[in-house]
């Protein structure tokens, strides 16, 4: 049985600002397992699909422009509770409200430049992983598994 997976994406500002290694390190050190990793620049239509639920929002156009403005790092992370814990690691949507110690709390100021995306439910994670990794992810297990899970 596959453990829970989340779709995590470092947005163009995070890539431009050199935060890729720092962000990956946080998920890696927590104990989660990297199952997929792609550096890619997405097109408008793809961004609109990813953010389809927000298409009626006034900030939708700006959001699509921002997320297509440079390369992003798309990832699949796996582990027990990774969707909910991933959201905690990332912090609140608006960095002004994100606690210090979270990625957005430590590295972002404006909501429209909040560095990173993380799936908000297991269901949405499945949809996002299917969209961003149509060829699937890498099937492997960490040898340290028994040192992370009881
Ligand atoms: P999250 O990324 O925390 O899941 P979301 O799914 O509600 O937040 O929104 C997606 C992105 O849209 C968010 O990361 C930044 C942008 N956004 C959300 N609310 C916004 C707002 N009120 N003004 C500007 N951008 C906003
Ligand atoms: Mg969201």
């Amino acid at each position: 049985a596959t453990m829970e997976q989340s779709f995590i994406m470092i947005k163009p500002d995070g890539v431009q600002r050199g935060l890729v290694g720092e962000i990956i390190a946080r998920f890696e050190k927590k104990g989660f397992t990297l199952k997929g990793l792609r550096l890619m620049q997405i097109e408008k239509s793809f961004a609109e699909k990813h953010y389809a639920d927000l298409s009626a929002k006034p900030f939708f156009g700006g959001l699509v422009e921002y997320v297509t403005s440079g390369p992003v790092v798309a990832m699949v992370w796996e582990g027990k509770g990774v969707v909910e814990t991933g959201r905690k690691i990332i912090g609140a949507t608006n960095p002004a409200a994100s606690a210090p110690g979270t990625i957005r709390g430590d590295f972002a100021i404006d909501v429209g430049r909040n560095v990173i995306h993380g799936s908000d439910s297991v269901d949405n994670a499945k949809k996002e992983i299917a969209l961003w990794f149509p060829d699937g992810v890498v099937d492997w297990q960490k040898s340290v598994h028994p040192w992370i899970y009881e």
Side-chain angles (χ1 to χ4, degrees):
T2 332
M3 242 199 239
E4 186 173 304
Q5 296 183 333
S6 186
F7 173 68
I8 303 292
M9 187 253 300
I10 306 172
K11 295 175 179 175
D13 49 338
V15 175
Q16 287 287 352
R17 292 175 54 200
L19 299 174
V20 172
E22 167 79 33
I23 288 169
I24 288 177
R26 291 186 178 207
F27 283 86
E28 205 173 32
K29 288 176 187 170
K30 172 72 175 170
F32 294 133
T33 304
L34 184 62
K35 290 280 171 123
L37 179 70
R38 296 181 72 190
L39 176 75
M40 54 197 288
Q41 182 149 7
I42 59 168
E43 299 198 330
K44 191 173 177 228
S45 59
F46 189 95
E48 287 169 347
K49 218 181 236 184
H50 171 74
Y51 280 125
D53 293 350
L54 300 173
S55 60
K57 300 283 185 187
F59 56 81
F60 185 67
L63 176 61
V64 167
E65 198 171 320
Y66 156 54
V67 84
T68 56
S69 63
V72 300
V73 175
M75 296 176 281
V76 175
W77 285 92
E78 183 176 288
K80 193 194 282 182
V82 66
V83 170
E84 194 183 331
T85 302
R87 296 279 296 188
K88 286 183 188 157
I89 290 170
I90 288 170
T93 300
N94 190 336
S98 314
T102 65
I103 291 167
R104 287 167 174 166
D106 288 349
F107 302 123
I109 294 175
D110 273 350
V111 68
R113 297 289 185 274
N114 65 1
V115 172
I116 184 166
H117 165 87
S119 305
D120 63 6
S121 69
V122 174
D123 246 33
N124 281 335
K126 284 180 184 155
K127 284 181 202 159
E128 291 169 357
I129 291 166
L131 175 67
W132 289 79
F133 291 86
D135 298 329
V137 297
V138 177
D139 182 25
W140 71 289
Q141 306 300 328
K142 276 187 183 170
S143 59
V144 293
H145 197 276
W147 298 104
I148 296 169
Y149 294 100
E150 61 183 14

